[in-house]
């Protein structure tokens, strides 16, 4: 029973915090397509946006609003200067800055989110929260590898 509890904790602890734009943060002049390339986002991961409060916003928008840089139908909006968005659903999530000219100048980002481990994803939408974390993401092993590396030896111990 203890091994199962440990496995559950290991799998749920695999979420990654990504500091958007790394040291540049959420700002003009950053190529967010390049920043997202090579990264694998999953349900449960967090996007940490750091930016000048009052200078920028983080708006999660639909695909069509992303393409047209329209903020009239934003799903979520925050302009506090530090925003963390937990990716709660699989699919593509779209983020823009609503400050005049910023989105059309490239301050927008599309993030493809994969389902959580086991092929399921929690229901709900992304929810912004204010935070002061600016930790950069470190590569994490996939849940299946973590289970094999940690779970199998623990399961053997639990059986004996």
């Amino acid at each position: 029973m203890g091994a199962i509890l440990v496995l559950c904790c290991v799998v749920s602890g695999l979420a990654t915090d990504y500091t958007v734009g790394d040291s540049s943060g959420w700002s003009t002049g950053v190529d967010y397509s390049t920043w997202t390339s090579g990264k694998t986002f999953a349900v449960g991961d967090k996007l940490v946006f750091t930016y000048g409060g009052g200078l920028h916003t983080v708006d999660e928008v639909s695909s069509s609003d992303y393409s047209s840089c329209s903020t009239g139908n934003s799903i979520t909006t925050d302009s506090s200067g530090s925003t963390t968005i937990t990716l709660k659903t699989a699919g593509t999530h779209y983020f823009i800055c609503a400050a005049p000219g910023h989105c059309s100048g490239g301050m927008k980002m599309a993030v493809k989110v994969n389902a959580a481990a086991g092929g399921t994803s929690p229901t709900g939408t992304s929810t912004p929260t204010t935070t002061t974390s600016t930790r950069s993401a470190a590569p994490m092993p996939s849940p299946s590898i973590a289970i094999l590396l940690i779970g199998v030896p623990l399961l053997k111990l639990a059986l004996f």
Side-chain angles (χ1 to χ4, degrees):
M1 187 66 158
I4 293 171
L5 180 62
V6 169
L7 286 175
C8 291
C9 291
V10 168
V11 172
S12 66
L14 293 177
T16 301
D17 291 357
Y18 291 95
T19 300
V20 174
D22 296 322
S23 61
S24 298
W26 183 238
S27 181
T28 56
V30 177
D31 182 350
Y32 293 102
S33 294
T34 299
W35 181 82
T36 58
S37 69
K39 292 178 177 59
T40 303
F41 300 95
V43 170
D45 288 349
K46 294 179 182 178
L47 299 177
V48 179
F49 293 83
T50 55
Y51 52 98
L55 300 175
H56 303 296
T57 68
V58 176
D59 289 27
E60 186 172 3
V61 297
S62 68
S63 173
S64 61
D65 287 346
Y66 175 84
S67 296
S68 65
C69 287
S70 174
T71 60
N73 299 309
S74 295
I75 298 165
T76 59
T77 304
D78 191 2
S79 61
S80 66
S82 184
T83 303
T84 298
I85 295 183
T86 301
L87 301 170
K88 294 184 178 181
T89 59
T92 304
H93 296 259
Y94 301 93
F95 303 95
I96 65 173
C97 177
H102 289 196
C103 177
S104 60
M107 199 170 168
K108 61 187 202 172
M109 178 177 72
V111 176
K112 183 179 178 190
V113 180
N114 296 318
T120 61
S121 62
T123 57
T125 59
S126 301
T127 305
T129 56
T130 303
T131 183
T132 57
S133 173
T134 57
R135 182 179 79 164
S136 293
M140 298 294 290
S142 72
S144 58
I145 292 173
I147 289 170
L148 288 175
L149 294 176
I150 296 170
V152 172
L154 289 175
L155 188 58
K156 285 181 182 178
L157 286 175
L159 294 174
F160 292 102

